[in-house]
Amino acid sequence: SQQGEEDPQALSIQEGENATMNCSYKTSINNLQWYRQNSGRGLVHLILIRSNEREKHSGRLRVTLDTSKKSSSLLITASRAADTASYFCAMRTGANSKLTFGKGITLSVRP
Amino acid sequence: GAGVSQSPRYKVAKRGQDVALRCDPISGHVSLFWYQQALGQGPEFLTYFQNEAQLDKSGLPSDRFFAERPEGSVSTLKIQRTQQEDSAVYLCASSLGRTGFGQPQHFGDGTRLSIL
């Protein structure tokens, strides 16, 4: 079963706009990670946020984590056509090394 | 350096045949993971190795699935007597450390398995 649920399922924006994607989860986590997957390719790690952190930045990416609401958001600022991909949140629960992924969000950035 | 390499990229097999999928992790990476990704879904965990030890195989769907990593580097996922529901992309990932403490996973491009 998949613990994470992303919202929305699909997002279409114009180049230059910001994209916000949300992830909700069910049980306590050790850390939460966001990955990107281009069509026909493997997943690429974007950013990791630990359960004791509330916000992290990496370039044009900003991730927030609200453990009280069991939710996280990924913000991509000034989007580019190359950001078109599927985005997944993944949870690592406690000392267990498994990653549990959501179903993903399909982001389309129109040139 | 080279990333995670998987072969073959595509595999077509007839129902009932056995298949073997190979994963070459990043050199020096201790942890290795296998995932199954159905179309339009996120990856689902299959099994986890720390060096040559298979520490978690709870995600393997049946005893037809078998994975090994005999020398702690290259890993093979074997599926016996394949069935149509085995059709999926099989992803391999590796990470440097021994456990999940803030270790991003590095994924290969996967093997797309189609069972006819």
Side-chain angles (χ1 to χ4, degrees), chain A:
Chain A
S1 63
Q2 296 183 307
Q3 183 189 171
E5 285 193 14
E6 293 97 340
D7 170 63
Q9 291 187 349
L11 181 60
S12 181
I13 59 174
Q14 198 74 34
E15 202 166 29
E17 293 180 339
N18 296 341
T20 300
M21 292 168 271
N22 303 299
C23 171
S24 59
Y25 57 91
K26 298 175 184 174
T27 63
S28 297
I29 59 169
N30 175 274
N31 66 58
L32 185 143
Q33 304 179 33
W34 285 90
Y35 286 80
R36 183 187 76 228
Q37 185 176 35
N38 290 87
S39 181
R41 303 298 299 275
L43 282 76
V44 175
H45 180 264
L46 296 177
I47 199 164
L48 180 152
I49 187 164
R50 294 183 174 81
S51 59
N52 61 353
E53 297 175 312
R54 292 297 167 258
E55 186 171 316
K56 285 190 81 169
H57 297 256
S58 177
R60 293 184 296 113
L61 305 180
R62 172 178 169 252
V63 168
T64 61
L65 179 65
D66 187 333
T67 53
S68 66
K69 294 182 180 178
K70 291 188 170 59
S71 68
S72 173
S73 67
L74 171 67
L75 169 68
I76 303 175
T77 60
S79 63
R80 305 166 182 169
D83 294 329
T84 294
S86 294
Y87 290 81
F88 295 90
C89 66
M91 281 66 60
R92 197 186 297 270
T93 53
N96 190 325
S97 289
K98 283 192 274 194
L99 278 184
T100 305
F101 287 83
K103 292 185 177 181
I105 297 170
T106 301
L107 173 65
S108 298
V109 181
R110 303 185 301 274

Side-chain angles (χ1 to χ4, degrees), chain B residues 13 15 32 62 75 112:
Chain B
R15 186 163 54 92
L32 184 145
S62 75
S75 177
R112 182 175 296 276

Side-chain angles (χ1 to χ4, degrees), chain B residues 8 10-21 62-66 77-87 90 112-116:
Chain B
Y10 303 93
K11 177 68 179 178
V12 179
K14 292 182 179 179
R15 186 163 54 92
Q17 289 183 330
D18 298 348
V19 298
L21 313 179
S62 75
D63 59 7
R64 297 186 296 104
F65 287 71
F66 172 76
L77 176 66
K78 298 179 180 178
I79 309 173
Q80 297 176 325
R81 305 181 302 282
T82 53
Q83 300 178 5
Q84 285 194 322
E85 62 261 30
D86 300 334
S87 296
Y90 290 84
R112 182 175 296 276
L113 176 64
S114 298
I115 305 299
L116 304 179

